[in-house]
Amino acid sequence: MIIQNNFLTVKIATFGAEIKSILDNQNNEWMWNANPEFWGKTSPILFPIVGSLKNNTFIYKGENYSLSRHGFARDMEFDAEQISETKAIFTLKANEKTLVNYPFYFELKVIYTLHNKQLSCTYEVTNVGNETMYFSIGGHPAFALGNNATDFENFYLEFNNDTSINRLKLVNGLISENKEIINLDNQQLPLHYDLFKEDAMVFRDLKSNAIAIKNTKNENKLTLTFDDFTHFGIWTVQNAPFICLEPWFGMADLDNHNQHFETKEGMLALEPQQVFAKNWKITIE
């Protein structure tokens, strides 16, 4: 499906409700091309968990359930509705398959809207069951940084409200007690692959609600705005020319977590018939 205006043309797949392409009116591509040699996705939806569970398992009401990393939404077909040239809605509902691994009745809508040079992605989750629903949700958009590994280090991230960032370390996909404080120079983080030798950079206490991707050559920039999200991830693959900026509600299990779903850090609780809605935005300048 395509939504477009005079500034941007956005392609979105019904599989995973995933953004596949953002082209500006100068024919610049802003999304990673999903080269499977490195990573075959572009912008998966993380639901109903973010990150990995301990032993890929959670406990709810005494029963064990299995979910793979980042949940199942990214690997499912959504129903799609084109609302206008600039707006589309993708919907996923609980079914027999999801209930095996996630015992909650939900409706997830992913709403994409274009306004001038900005693309908004809204997550709207409705609890259509009759008991409290627990979930996490997040984005995983991957932005193109040139054409090869050499280009990658010409880019840097600029945080709008942080002078230092406190990284939570991942060990075997789980959050450990190890942390690293990274001081920023003029609120900027130069990109280099060594940052990701130990997997993604994970944060729970960013002051920033916007991160810009900038080029040392002073070319066009992209800004991700993410008001109210509680956690954040930054990730790439060694030698791949992309960076993921990931606004999250929730994160991977702590390595000492007891696996009870209700007490997982960042878990959202939604009462019957309640609706949760939050969005993040991509602005091209």
Side-chain angles (χ1 to χ4, degrees), residues 7-9 22-30 220 284:
F7 303 100
L8 299 173
T9 299
I22 300 176
L23 276 179
D24 65 23
N25 55 11
Q26 302 299 311
N27 210 37
N28 296 310
E29 176 59 70
W30 291 86
N220 294 358
I284 310 294

Side-chain angles (χ1 to χ4, degrees), residues 163-165 181-185 188-189:
T163 57
S164 65
I165 49 179
I181 296 175
I182 300 172
N183 292 314
L184 304 177
D185 184 8
Q188 297 173 359
L189 177 68

Side-chain angles (χ1 to χ4, degrees), residues 97-117:
K97 184 177 178 181
T98 67
L99 288 167
V100 171
N101 298 312
Y102 179 69
F104 300 98
Y105 290 86
F106 67 88
E107 180 179 84
L108 166 62
K109 291 184 180 293
V110 183
I111 304 165
Y112 293 105
T113 308
L114 274 177
H115 179 70
N116 294 331
K117 296 180 180 180

Side-chain angles (χ1 to χ4, degrees), residues 223-274:
T223 302
L224 184 82
T225 306
F226 49 97
D227 294 330
D228 302 325
F229 282 77
T230 56
H231 298 77
F232 201 87
I234 303 173
W235 178 74
T236 191
V237 175
Q238 293 295 313
N239 299 319
F242 72 82
I243 193 73
C244 292
L245 300 182
E246 307 179 37
W248 299 338
F249 286 94
M251 63 178 187
D253 273 351
L254 301 174
D255 58 7
N256 61 357
H257 185 239
N258 62 15
Q259 297 178 263
H260 287 273
F261 208 46
E262 304 97 311
T263 61
K264 178 175 168 60
E265 179 170 337
M267 190 62 60
L268 297 164
L270 198 61
E271 296 305 315
Q273 309 313 311
Q274 280 192 341

Side-chain angles (χ1 to χ4, degrees), residues 1 10 23 38 48 75 90 92 94 98 102 113 122 127 129 157 161 163-164 199 204 227-228 285:
M1 183 176 291
V10 180
L23 276 179
F38 295 103
D75 295 316
F90 297 78
L92 179 68
T98 67
Y102 179 69
T113 308
T122 299
N127 180 354
L157 303 180
N161 281 323
T163 57
S164 65
D199 208 338
R204 64 154 65 97
D227 294 330
D228 302 325
E285 300 177 47

